[in-house]
Amino acid sequence: MTAGLWQNWVLPGIWTTVQLTLYSAALATAVAFAVGVARTGHSRFVRFLAGFYTEVFRGTSALVLMFWLFFVLPSLVGWQLVPMWAAVLALGLSYGAYGAEVVRGALNAVPPAQRESGIALSFTPWQRMRLILLPQAVPEMIPPFCNLLVELLKGTALVSLLGVGDVSFAAYLVRLATQDSAQIYTVTLVIYFAIAFALTRGMKVLERRTKANLGVVVK
């Protein structure tokens, strides 16, 4: 593979993949916390809506949702999403549904006595969530969130079907130009592994710091 192919296609593809991962992860995190917290609320109607969202987006294909946002939505609303943002929305909404279950499970795992202590101190529901529940639940969310983040990274390869110039699309172009599948796809595997390794190390550091605040040592 020549330096020109690397510089013009592969490096921009890596940057696009990193951007897609970060943007989609940010949206998925926001969705996960909003829906996950809603699923532990007192309102039956809110819990129903949050549960309905979770079931719908866990049960639909992220690829089909991406196509729907890009090809179908414009005919309904009259404006076109660029492929990049259609991909971010599809991945963020889909993985956010999985993350919502992580949030719900971690919040429900906090001992009931902790909730009762907040009530005894006359904390509002938001104060109980912010000061008691989330500080204990977030460290337990990080390992499954790390797995979801790696899955999200690998899921960004779907955007190549919309013509977004990510690593997978760049690899396809290089293969067409060089007719050498072995080299470019081996390099692509290494690139995905390197990004995933960096993400998992970062999440491990975050887990250590959050648990250190609770006096827990992570090996």
Side-chain angles (χ1 to χ4, degrees), residues 95-147:
Y95 283 89
Y98 291 102
E101 285 297 281
V102 174
V103 173
R104 182 188 65 82
L107 289 174
N108 286 337
V110 176
Q114 298 293 322
R115 300 172 185 268
E116 293 167 3
S117 65
I119 296 173
L121 292 170
S122 300
F123 284 178
T124 66
W126 168 241
Q127 287 176 320
R128 293 198 298 272
M129 181 64 66
R130 181 172 60 89
L131 299 175
I132 298 176
L133 300 180
L134 284 178
Q136 297 181 69
V138 167
E140 303 305 321
M141 299 177 195
I142 293 177
F145 270 167
C146 182
N147 289 335

Side-chain angles (χ1 to χ4, degrees), residues 54-66:
T54 302
E55 294 302 325
V56 168
F57 282 90
R58 283 195 310 175
T60 54
S61 165
L63 177 60
V64 175
L65 177 60
M66 198 180 301

Side-chain angles (χ1 to χ4, degrees), residues 65-66 68-71 73-74 77-90 162:
L65 177 60
M66 198 180 301
W68 190 91
L69 290 171
F70 186 68
F71 295 110
L73 186 63
V77 300
W79 46 268
Q80 177 77 55
L81 283 172
V82 298
M84 179 81 162
W85 293 114
V88 167
L89 275 176
L162 292 181

Side-chain angles (χ1 to χ4, degrees), residues 132-168:
I132 298 176
L133 300 180
L134 284 178
Q136 297 181 69
V138 167
E140 303 305 321
M141 299 177 195
I142 293 177
F145 270 167
C146 182
N147 289 335
L148 285 178
L149 184 59
V150 173
E151 287 298 319
L152 175 58
L153 166 66
K154 293 185 287 186
T156 60
L158 297 173
V159 306
S160 61
L161 298 175
L162 292 181
V164 178
D166 71 320
V167 171
S168 299

